[in-house]
């Protein structure tokens, strides 16, 4: 199935396949934070994130969200539609946390009246700067209509995800999505959804996500395992 390595990222390796329209994403046992400054091998993380992301994307597909997810191939691999990634990190926040709290000098954990969507320009050498819709247009990343669609889709995905996590006793604080264009130019959800790119707090305020690694709060695979076990309780 796998042919040649297309791209090696921080958390995944992407392989071409004999089908031009499909790629294999291989999840790695590697954790990074602070734009790669903190980097460690974490045994079992690739399997957990592939399992979690596969389950979530399958549910999103079933709920009518267009995604790149085709099928889970093995513990650490999944088959995805090949897309041209739109170089935006689309962050949605339900509660204050992380860079939002730092930037605006507010405590973490304050519920936002309306979820806030933010854009970051995906460019490692610039450290993924915070940008607005007008910068997105200037940089020719997406048209006005495409920006509106991405925001609307992100809010729709938030509605689904927030209710699924609520069902298993977790609060979805914030998350990051990436979108891509498929062969027909349609914008679909790509990349992954795992505790690496969202914040999940349990009822006691425990961090069930990558903040465990970023902030040195314990073993990340212990909390990812709990998230994975809880998610399997969903239909
Ligand atoms: N996030 C991500 N990749 C990034 C930056 C952020 O997946 O390169 C996720 C992060 O896990 C969190 C959300 O986006 O769920 C918002 O992150 P924030 O801007 O607060 O930055 P951080 O505090 O993580 O640096």
């Amino acid at each position: 199935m796998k042919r040649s390595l297309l791209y090696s990222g921080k958390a995944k390796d992407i392989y071409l396949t004999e089908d031009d329209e499909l790629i294999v994403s291989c999840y790695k046992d590697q954790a990074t934070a602070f734009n790669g400054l903190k980097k460690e091998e974490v045994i079992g993380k690739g399997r957990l994130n592939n399992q979690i992301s596969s389950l979530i994307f399958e549910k999103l597909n079933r709920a009518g969200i267009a995604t790149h997810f085709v099928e889970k191939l093995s513990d650490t691999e999944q088959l995805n539609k090949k897309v041209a990634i739109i170089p935006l990190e689309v962050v949605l926040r339900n509660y204050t946390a992380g860079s939002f709290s730092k930037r605006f000098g507010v405590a973490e954990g304050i519920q936002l009246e309306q979820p806030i969507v933010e854009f970051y320009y995906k460019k490692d050498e610039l450290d993924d700067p915070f940008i607005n819709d007008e910068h997105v247009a200037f940089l020719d990343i997406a048209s006005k209509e495409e920006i509106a669609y991405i925001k609307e889709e992100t809010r729709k995905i938030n509605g689904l995800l927030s209710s699924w996590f609520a069902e298993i006793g977790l609060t979805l604080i914030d998350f990051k999505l990436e979108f891509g264009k498929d062969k027909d130019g349609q914008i679909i959800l790509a990349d992954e959804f795992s505790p690496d790119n969202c914040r999940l707090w349990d009822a006691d305020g425990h961090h069930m996500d990558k903040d465990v690694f970023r902030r040195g709060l314990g073993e990340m695979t212990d909390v990812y395992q709990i998230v994975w076990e809880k998610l399997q309780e969903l239909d």
Side-chain angles (χ1 to χ4, degrees), residues 20-213:
D20 254 6
E21 292 171 16
L22 298 172
I23 53 152
V24 171
S25 300
C26 189
Y27 283 64
K28 303 202 271 200
D29 279 347
Q30 181 170 279
T32 61
F34 316 116
N35 203 11
L37 280 178
K38 182 171 179 176
K39 184 166 151 183
E40 269 173 37
E41 187 186 28
V42 179
I43 304 293
K45 175 178 172 284
R47 176 181 59 81
L48 282 163
N49 277 357
N50 182 47
Q51 283 168 322
I52 291 170
S53 195
S54 294
L55 185 148
I56 300 256
F57 269 70
E58 208 163 279
K59 282 179 73 67
L60 288 170
N61 278 348
R62 269 195 275 142
I65 302 291
T67 85
H68 73 156
F69 183 76
V70 180
E71 63 173 325
K72 182 153 136 331
L73 295 173
S74 72
D75 271 4
T76 55
E77 295 165 311
Q78 56 178 261
L79 190 63
N80 296 137
K81 290 182 190 154
K82 191 167 173 220
V83 295
I85 288 285
I86 296 169
L88 282 181
E89 302 211 330
V90 184
V91 169
L92 183 141
R93 300 179 188 274
N94 292 307
Y95 290 76
T96 59
S99 75
F100 186 97
S101 290
K102 209 178 257 176
R103 178 173 296 122
F104 301 117
V106 294
E108 295 196 300
I110 301 166
Q111 187 166 15
L112 297 163
E113 229 166 88
Q114 284 287 337
I116 292 177
V117 178
E118 296 175 347
F119 292 126
Y120 294 83
Y121 181 28
K122 206 171 132 63
K123 209 163 180 64
D124 278 345
E125 57 272 39
L126 297 178
D127 227 357
D128 300 345
F130 186 43
I131 58 175
N132 68 21
D133 299 22
E134 293 174 34
H135 298 122
V136 175
F138 165 75
L139 293 165
D140 231 355
I141 295 170
S143 70
K144 279 208 169 67
E145 293 73 26
E146 288 171 338
I147 295 168
Y149 177 77
I150 287 170
K151 281 189 174 175
E152 191 188 307
E153 203 68 356
T154 299
R155 291 185 190 279
K156 211 190 280 178
I157 292 165
N158 179 49
L160 292 164
L161 294 174
S162 291
S163 70
W164 296 337
F165 282 114
E167 271 184 62
I168 55 170
L170 297 173
T171 302
L172 182 59
I173 301 294
D174 59 28
F175 58 86
K176 184 265 296 182
L177 301 178
E178 291 180 27
F179 291 85
K181 282 188 185 174
D182 68 11
K183 63 171 186 355
D184 305 317
Q186 293 292 347
I187 294 180
I188 63 176
L189 182 65
D191 195 45
E192 68 177 89
F193 192 94
S194 74
D196 265 12
N197 37 55
C198 70
R199 288 192 168 93
L200 294 165
W201 291 3
D202 73 8
D204 301 317
H206 292 125
H207 298 272
M208 306 300 288
D209 53 57
K210 197 161 124 179
D211 276 345
V212 166
F213 174 73

